[in-house]
Amino acid sequence: MFVNEMITAKALMMNSTRSWVMAQSGPGQTVRVLQLYGVVGADLAWAARELIARDLVDVIDLNFGCPVPKVTRKGGGAALPWKTAYFGDLIGQVVQAAQESSQAARREVEVPVTVKIRVGIDESHETMLDAGRAAQDAGAAALTLHARTTNQYYSGHSDWSRIGQLVNTLDIPVLGNGDVFSASDALEMFAQTGCAGIEIGRAVQGRPWIFREITAALWGQPIPAGPTLGEIVEVIRAHACGLVEHFGNEKAALRDMRKHVGWYLRGFHLGGDTRAELTRVETLDDLERRLYDLLQTLDPNTPYPEAAQGKHGRSRAQRHVKLPEGWLDTREIDAAATKALHLAADDFDDPYAKSEAEPYPAVRLDK
């Protein structure tokens, strides 16, 4: 299953055109999984109802594993499970909303709610067992554990033994996450942890074919060779065209595409000037010209480079976790936490809000 980009419940409530566009899945996505972010149960429940009523989702995944400072300093992401009772109540509100909306929409199968967490804030403030039980008791259908603490960010190697510990603690399926960059990594995580599934993040950046490699390994088949440069160029073209079609804004879509081009061409000896030019493309024609020039310089049959395999993506060192003042003083929702989470405020400073300077066009959501 493929999970779409994380969307904030508050942005949907504010009727952000961009966010509603992001909430749509491609026509070939048979199981539509949307990752939802928020810190207020009522907001997340509202978003769940709307997404189901508009027939945009088959699974709702709540992300409480994000370690980004601008999120945790507001009590969101990986900071929230510290307030375990509140965390469980929040999940319960979303589960109830999903059940009621599924019934109202006459769905044969209710939309399940899944949850992603980390081990804890740091080694002195672990939350995974309490948070896992709270999520299970609240009706979560499955739970994913990124086997690092928040202060570890993406440093070192995730401790897969913690995934196994959670597998042995909970009755609901537990998925593992962290440092699966190859088919052999996937097999090893299954063997070490007994997890029900694996969630892959950084490894897919510029390398979507990792899924066919893992699938082959799980079926005991030979691992397919990586794509040639020419094949990757075709993937880049298809990806760029798909973004333009989905968002309806060529300039904005190509701006988003720039990072993907860099990831796709990781490890190939392009030269600094060529890479710089590819990070400045603004139209499909411009991208096509740059790719044509690239294939005039390098052989399209150039094999997939070894340098592009293995661990990649974000790998920052451990850091001090940015938290609201007094957040660790109690696991209950006190006055300071109420203020940090905006539970008593009419406005909300959305840490994931994006500029609407170039808004995407209005989208018809007939359903």
Side-chain angles (χ1 to χ4, degrees), residues 24 57 73 89 92 106 154 163 173 249 255 259 267 269 276 303 311 339 354 364:
Q24 297 181 89
V57 294
R73 68 162 52 99
D89 179 69
R106 300 181 182 275
Y154 297 95
I163 300 170
N249 183 316
R255 186 179 297 118
K259 64 178 181 287
H269 299 293
K311 187 173 182 177
K339 181 179 179 180
K354 298 182 180 179
R364 288 186 62 192

Side-chain angles (χ1 to χ4, degrees), residues 286-357:
D286 191 16
L287 176 63
E288 184 59 39
R289 284 194 298 271
R290 303 300 182 190
L291 293 176
Y292 175 83
D293 292 341
L294 171 63
L295 294 180
Q296 299 307 303
T297 304
L298 296 179
D299 184 353
N301 294 316
T302 302
Y304 192 67
E306 288 289 333
Q309 303 182 48
K311 187 173 182 177
H312 61 267
R314 296 166 291 185
S315 58
R316 299 177 187 176
Q318 291 193 30
R319 59 169 66 185
H320 176 71
V321 182
K322 301 293 185 181
L323 296 168
E325 185 176 356
W327 189 257
L328 297 179
D329 293 347
T330 174
R331 300 192 71 170
E332 304 301 322
I333 296 295
D334 57 7
T338 297
K339 181 179 179 180
L341 297 173
H342 295 258
L343 299 180
D346 293 330
D347 59 337
F348 183 87
D349 181 16
D350 187 344
Y352 274 109
K354 298 182 180 179
S355 170
E356 294 292 340

Side-chain angles (χ1 to χ4, degrees), residues 47-67:
R49 292 189 189 97
E50 282 295 305
L51 290 164
I52 295 170
R54 301 186 188 206
D55 192 23
L56 293 174
V57 294
D58 298 303
V59 180
I60 292 175
D61 184 54
L62 302 179
N63 189 321
F64 297 103
C66 181

Side-chain angles (χ1 to χ4, degrees), residues 275-293:
R275 286 191 181 276
E277 290 172 354
L278 285 166
T279 62
R280 292 193 291 264
V281 294
E282 294 190 350
T283 66
L284 287 174
D285 287 343
D286 191 16
L287 176 63
E288 184 59 39
R289 284 194 298 271
R290 303 300 182 190
L291 293 176
Y292 175 83
D293 292 341

Side-chain angles (χ1 to χ4, degrees), residues 46 50 59 67 82 84 105 119 143 149 180 201 208 286 299 324 333:
W46 180 92
E50 282 295 305
V59 180
W82 177 251
T84 306
V119 173
L143 186 138
T149 55
V180 173
D286 191 16
D299 184 353
I333 296 295

Side-chain angles (χ1 to χ4, degrees), residues 9 36-49 62 64 90 94:
L36 200 57
Y37 167 82
V39 296
V40 180
D43 295 349
L44 288 164
W46 180 92
R49 292 189 189 97
L62 302 179
F64 297 103
L90 180 153
V94 181

